[in-house]
Amino acid sequence: MKYIFVTGGVVSSLGKGLTAAALGTLLENRGLKVALQKFDPYLNVDPGTMSPYQHGEVYVLDDGAETDLDLGHYERFTSTKLTRYNNLTSGQVYQRVLDKERRGDYLGKTVQVIPHVTDEIQNRIREIREQSKADVLITEIGGTTGDIEGLPFLEAIREFALEAGHNNVVFIHVTFVPFIKAAGELKTKPTQQSVAKLREIGITPHILVCRCEQPLNKELRQKISLFCNVPYEAVIEEKDVDHSIYEVPLMLQRERMDDIVCDLLRLDVPAANMSHWQDIIRKLIAPQHRVRIGVVGKYIELQDAYKSVYEAIIHGGIANDCGVEIEKIDAEEIEKHGPEKILSGLGGILVPGGFGERGIEGKIMAARFARENKLPYLGLCLGMQIATIEFARHVLKLDNAHSSEFDPNTPHPVIAMLDEQKNVTQKGGTMRLGAQPCQLVVGSKAAQLYGAFVVSERHRHRYEFNNAYRGQMEAAGLIIAGTTSDGKLVEVIELKDHPFFIASQFHPEFQSKPNAPHPLFRGFIAAAHNRIHHRPL
């Protein structure tokens, strides 16, 4: 196996994950099998208990692991299927080291960062090597070079590079070249300082990826090359993209980054054929149609809180050759001003997942507006529960119907906690998590969209549709379109006599890709476009 380690400097949120994923795309299209993993230096065991304001979305894998959102980029850009072993946090490392110490595995030795913590980090690399059987493993180190919590990870990969040997390891450093507006020029000093800090630790990058707003000219590249001890051709420009993150692989290919990586790793493989990716970009830049979709949530000001949802909507647009303008709508604004003022003119409404009571009534108002006005509606997880509550209140006339999550004393708990969740005291990793089969009903719109009757989808929730109300809801026109294999838990609901009203208890956004858009999002965008253009479904 060959190894690529991606580090970052100057500031966080530079796009290391996107760079790693885009490089993975290029290498896959050269015929290589690629695996990716993320090392996060924070002390949380996983991001499952972290606030979206702190961390963005929690990305859930097939095996139920709650992971960093960068793993979403890895799965969207490549064909790799990730597991809990592809995301490692300092919390997990120290937990494993301390568990071993308690068991006496270290035979009474003093437990230290070097070698015990660094060995544990390296063991995760070896585990992925054995599991994936990939040709190339790309490992992203979270955080910024120089952060105190990241030092054990950098030391671990420095040591690992010695073990792996020459021509088997490439270090890529993503850095920031700021444009100083007052001076009218790009400045290389932050990049120089960042590389110097990395070299102090014992790592000399083979490739520098320079994030910048303005193009790097020849003189700047030569300067960075000289001061950072990196070959001129290995100074890669990664300018802010004009339209979409899916332009990044093509940008890196133009910079010959994949050629340089293959040369360094002595990989004799053909050039990547990216024609299918170019077609995706064409549909994003110059789509045949356009539509506006309203996403009604509570973390709307945070771009990363609904990252996979936004990407899946865009994928649905790609499938329909339709440009999607996403209108980010704060649910509390609907509560203040009413749905008509805010939601009129949209092609469709999507209510994503979430936790907590804030904004719930605004989301219920949005679902009612979509139902009564025949506006295409897609509900995800909480979005399905919202649609159920709305239907119970305004169609079945069950006053104060609610979820027991938000109102424990509701007379009609149409959404209630799973029995196995009632005695859970630990918050982390204890929800209904991961991929599980869903049985779709013959003749349902969901089955029609999937083109299948059994599908596998990822979950992340504690509360479920209350089967005590199932009969009267179905009698009133709610279609139970999908259930668990045993028929006990409701997974998908639809409405009769509505152009598109589908809501799922699972999270379909986690399995959507630009070159393989998820069926529910593809159908949702098609319905939204048809409504705006008055076309029959």
Side-chain angles (χ1 to χ4, degrees), residues 291-295 313 324-327 346-348 350 524-525 528:
V291 70
R292 282 174 65 224
I293 298 296
V295 175
I313 292 172
V324 183
E325 180 187 342
I326 298 174
E327 192 87 22
L346 294 172
L350 186 148
F524 174 56
I525 298 302

Side-chain angles (χ1 to χ4, degrees), residues 238-252:
E238 192 176 58
K239 203 163 75 72
D240 293 354
V241 291
D242 295 322
H243 299 94
S244 167
I245 59 173
Y246 301 113
E247 296 175 65
V248 176
L250 299 179
M251 179 194 298
L252 295 183

Side-chain angles (χ1 to χ4, degrees), residues 117-319:
V117 170
T118 51
D119 281 354
E120 202 61 54
I121 294 166
Q122 291 172 42
N123 285 341
R124 182 55 66 89
I125 300 172
R126 297 184 189 103
E127 286 170 352
I128 292 295
R129 178 176 65 199
E130 297 308 312
Q131 284 186 5
S132 68
K133 306 297 183 187
D135 301 309
V136 180
L137 172 61
I138 303 174
T139 303
E140 176 195 350
I141 314 299
T144 308
T145 298
D147 293 347
I148 191 167
E149 62 266 29
L151 292 175
F153 288 93
L154 295 174
E155 172 60 22
I157 63 173
R158 183 195 69 78
E159 294 173 12
F160 189 87
L162 292 174
E163 174 191 316
H166 192 55
N167 295 332
N168 289 323
V169 175
V170 166
F171 289 107
I172 297 174
H173 192 56
V174 182
T175 184
F176 182 47
V177 181
F179 179 73
I180 307 300
K181 197 171 180 181
E185 60 182 347
L186 292 162
K187 291 293 183 181
T188 66
K189 190 62 72 178
T191 294
Q192 295 175 44
Q193 298 283 5
S194 175
V195 173
K197 177 64 70 175
L198 196 61
R199 290 170 69 185
E200 279 177 24
I201 295 164
I203 296 172
T204 299
H206 298 92
I207 297 172
L208 271 182
V209 177
C210 300
R211 285 297 316 277
C212 49
E213 297 175 14
Q214 305 289 333
L216 297 177
N217 58 35
K218 184 178 179 181
E219 183 185 346
L220 276 171
R221 291 196 196 219
Q222 287 174 333
K223 187 176 181 181
I224 291 170
S225 170
L226 178 65
F227 283 96
C228 296
N229 198 34
V230 174
Y232 174 82
E233 64 274 10
V235 178
I236 305 295
E237 174 188 291
E238 192 176 58
K239 203 163 75 72
D240 293 354
V241 291
D242 295 322
H243 299 94
S244 167
I245 59 173
Y246 301 113
E247 296 175 65
V248 176
L250 299 179
M251 179 194 298
L252 295 183
Q253 187 182 42
R254 286 194 296 272
E255 291 282 303
R256 296 190 63 249
M257 182 171 166
D258 55 324
D259 290 337
I260 296 166
V261 167
C262 289
D263 287 345
L264 288 166
L265 294 175
R266 303 293 190 266
L267 291 167
D268 185 13
V269 287
N273 180 356
M274 299 296 287
S275 56
H276 65 294
W277 210 263
Q278 289 165 344
D279 189 50
I280 289 169
I281 300 305
R282 197 279 302 161
K283 289 175 180 176
L284 288 167
I285 294 174
Q288 297 295 308
H289 316 287
R290 294 204 172 269
V291 70
R292 282 174 65 224
I293 298 296
V295 175
V296 180
K298 63 186 283 189
Y299 309 115
I300 287 303
E301 68 272 28
L302 299 169
Q303 174 67 22
D304 286 345
Y306 302 117
K307 186 67 180 173
S308 292
V309 173
Y310 295 148
E311 294 305 316
I313 292 172
I314 290 166
H315 302 163
I318 293 170

